[in-house]
Amino acid sequence: MIIKLLAKLSRPFIFMALLTPAFSSAKLVEFIINIPFSTPDQSNIYLTGDISGHCNWQPTCLKMKDLGSGSYSISITIPDEIQTLNYKVTRGSWDNEAANSYSAPYGNFTVNLATATMPIVQNIIHWKDLAPLSKSNNIQTAFLFSTELDKNKEISIYLPPNYENSSKHFPVIYMHDGQNVFDPRSSSFGVEWSIDETMNKLISRNEINEAIIVAIHTNNTDRYLEYDYFSQGKKYSDFIINGVVPFIDQNYRTISNRESRYVMGSSMGALISLMMLIDRPDIFSKGAGLSFPAHINERAIFRFLAGRQDSKLPAFDFYMDHGDYGIDTKYSTSANDLYSTLKVQEQVKVKYSVYPFANHSEADWARRAYIPLKYLLN
C-alpha cells in the first residue's frame, strides 16, 4: 500500500500551499524514487521541478519520505490543467543531483499527467558527486574455451580487497550475466549491478564474510538458450563445473568444497542457478535468484521437479525474490507456487521476498543485491 503524505517543509507558505490548493480542480500525483545502494548514509532525498503551486527548481524543494529498501515517496497536488511535469531528484544540492552510471546528471524527467499511471516510479542509478561507476581495480579477466558450448567465454573475477595482503582462502559466488555485474561499459543496457562496490562496502562494514565473485559473461543472442536448462543450459552448467570451477580453484585461494560454492543470477539467470543447485548438489550448496521466472516455458521447472525419480530434493539453501511493479508483477503466482513446493522439502532452506516498486532491470537488481549477498555470505 502506498502511503499518501504531505511533504513536511520548513517554509510555512509552501506548506500551506499543499494544504490549501489554490485551484478548484486538482489531482494527487504520487512519486516513488528508488535510489542506489551506493547512496551515502543519512542522505535526504528531494524532488524538485516545475511543479505548479510549489517551489520552482529549488534543490531542497520537496523532501521525500523514506519507505525503506531504498524507496522514497511523496504525493503532491497538481491542478488538472497541468498536463506535463518536469522534475529532478537531488540529495539537497545541485552538486549531488541524480546522475547516470558515469556521474553525468540526468536531463529533466518528464511525465505526461494525462496518461501516467500512479505511482510514477523512477530509478536513480548514481549521483553527480560520486566517482563514476566502473570496474574496480581488484577485478581480473580470463578467457576460457568451453568444449560444451564450442566457444570462448569471458569471465571476470572479483578478489576481496584484502586478497593480496593475506593468505586466507575464500568462498566463491559464481554469477551469471557477467557482462552486467561489474562494469557499465560492458553491460547490455549501460547499467551494472555494482557488485564490486557493494561487496567492498559490505566488507568494510563487517556485514559479510569476504568472498571471490566469478562472473561468467554471455550475450543477448546466446543468453536465453544458455540459461534454459532444457536447451543449452545443461551444457552451460557443465562448462562452469568442468571448466570454470577447476580454473578458479587452481589459480586462486578458494575454499574448494560445496559448502563454500554458491550460484547467483537474475531472471533466466535465477532459473539456471536453482537448476544447478538441484542437479549438482555435490558442487554447490547455496544460491540466489532475483526476479525468479518460475512461469518460463509453461512452468517447465515444475514438470522437472515432478518428473524426478527421487521426489526428495538434495540439501541446499536458496534465496528467491521478485518485485511488485512492471514486468515482475507477472511473476507472483508462479513464484509463490515454487516457494510452496520448495519449503516442504526437509533438506531445503528457502527465503522468498517481494519488493515494492521493484521492476525487472539491472538498476532494480543492483539496488537490492546486498540482500542476497548477505544471505549467501553469512
Side-chain angles (χ1 to χ4, degrees):
M1 180 178 68
I2 299 169
I3 303 171
K4 297 180 179 179
L5 54 98
L6 297 175
K8 187 175 181 181
L9 302 174
S10 59
R11 300 192 179 198
F13 70 90
I14 297 173
F15 185 64
M16 289 304 295
L18 286 169
L19 293 179
T20 310
F23 304 91
S24 58
S25 180
K27 52 182 165 285
L28 195 65
V29 180
E30 302 168 302
F31 288 89
I32 300 294
I33 302 298
N34 295 323
I35 65 170
F37 185 67
S38 61
T39 304
D41 295 342
Q42 310 304 318
S43 291
N44 293 317
I45 305 301
Y46 298 89
L47 188 78
T48 187
D50 59 357
I51 305 169
S52 181
H54 306 288
C55 48
N56 185 35
W57 293 110
Q58 296 178 15
T60 55
C61 182
L62 298 170
K63 185 176 179 181
M64 304 191 73
K65 172 70 174 179
D66 186 354
L67 300 179
S69 298
S71 293
Y72 287 72
S73 74
I74 197 166
S75 296
I76 57 179
T77 303
I78 303 292
D80 279 342
E81 56 263 40
I82 302 298
Q83 296 295 306
T84 302
L85 189 149
N86 298 294
Y87 68 96
K88 283 196 168 193
V89 178
T90 80
R91 300 197 332 271
S93 165
W94 292 120
D95 291 332
N96 54 29
E97 65 177 294
N100 64 19
S101 299
Y102 307 105
S103 305
Y106 294 118
N108 296 340
F109 297 119
T110 300
V111 58
N112 184 334
L113 297 177
T115 59
T117 302
M118 296 298 144
I120 297 164
V121 179
Q122 181 64 56
N123 282 340
I124 302 303
I125 305 300
H126 202 45
W127 302 101
K128 177 182 175 182
D129 61 318
L130 303 184
L133 295 171
S134 62
K135 186 166 61 174
S136 300
N137 292 332
N138 52 335
I139 293 174
Q140 300 182 359
T141 300
F143 291 87
L144 300 180
F145 182 77
S146 168
T147 56
E148 298 85 357
L149 298 169
D150 193 28
K151 67 180 69 169
N152 278 310
K153 298 286 281 183
E154 181 177 352
I155 61 174
S156 297
I157 305 135
Y158 164 92
L159 301 176
N162 193 41
Y163 185 87
E164 298 297 340
N165 298 319
S166 77
S167 58
K168 283 180 61 176
H169 287 66
F170 301 91
V172 184
I173 302 176
Y174 292 87
M175 288 191 66
H176 315 295
D177 284 309
Q179 72 282 355
N180 301 333
V181 170
F182 300 124
D183 191 347
R185 291 166 181 80
S186 64
S187 172
S188 304
F189 307 100
V191 179
E192 57 160 281
W193 279 43
S194 299
I195 293 295
D196 45 346
E197 290 91 351
T198 298
M199 285 290 294
N200 291 344
K201 188 172 183 178
L202 293 173
I203 290 169
S204 70
R205 292 174 169 181
N206 294 315
E207 294 185 18
I208 59 170
N209 295 316
E210 295 176 295
I212 295 170
I213 309 287
V214 177
I216 301 99
H217 294 225
T218 189
N219 58 54
N220 291 334
T221 301
D222 299 332
R223 181 181 186 274
Y224 190 91
L225 296 176
E226 288 184 355
Y227 296 170
D228 179 356
Y229 212 68
F230 309 105
S231 179
Q232 296 181 22
K234 182 65 167 63
K235 293 179 179 180
Y236 169 76
S237 173
D238 287 344
F239 162 62
I240 294 176
I241 292 166
N242 300 328
V244 182
V245 170
F247 174 82
I248 297 298
D249 285 346
Q250 291 165 13
N251 290 280
Y252 298 91
R253 297 195 310 276
T254 66
I255 304 174
S256 55
N257 56 43
R258 70 172 296 274
E259 287 77 17
S260 299
R261 291 196 199 102
Y262 320 130
V263 284
M264 178 172 166
S266 67
S267 193
M268 287 297 291
L271 186 62
I272 191 87
S273 294
L274 179 59
M275 295 299 294
M276 290 169 69
L277 280 174
I278 294 171
D279 213 28
R280 293 305 301 266
D282 56 318
I283 303 296
F284 306 103
S285 62
K286 289 184 180 181
L290 288 73
S291 291
F292 198 99
H295 63 288
I296 286 292
N297 291 340
E298 299 180 340
R299 296 166 63 104
I301 190 168
F302 294 98
R303 296 195 299 275
F304 169 76
L305 292 172
R308 285 171 54 90
Q309 291 183 348
D310 182 1
S311 60
K312 185 177 181 180
L313 291 179
F316 60 82
D317 292 9
F318 193 66
Y319 165 97
M320 57 182 289
D321 73 23
H322 60 81
D324 73 350
Y325 181 75
I327 293 175
D328 267 23
T329 59
K330 301 177 182 179
Y331 290 20
S332 179
T333 299
S334 61
N336 269 290
D337 291 344
L338 181 61
Y339 173 65
S340 298
T341 300
L342 295 177
K343 73 178 182 179
V344 299
Q345 292 283 332
E346 182 180 350
Q347 297 191 87
V348 174
K349 295 180 181 178
V350 58
K351 178 178 176 61
Y352 172 40
S353 298
V354 180
Y355 293 97
F357 316 116
N359 200 342
H360 198 85
S361 73
E362 268 62 40
D364 291 292
W365 300 323
R367 182 163 56 93
R368 67 177 186 267
Y370 74 95
I371 299 172
L373 288 173
K374 291 175 75 169
Y375 179 86
L376 296 174
L377 297 174
N378 277 318

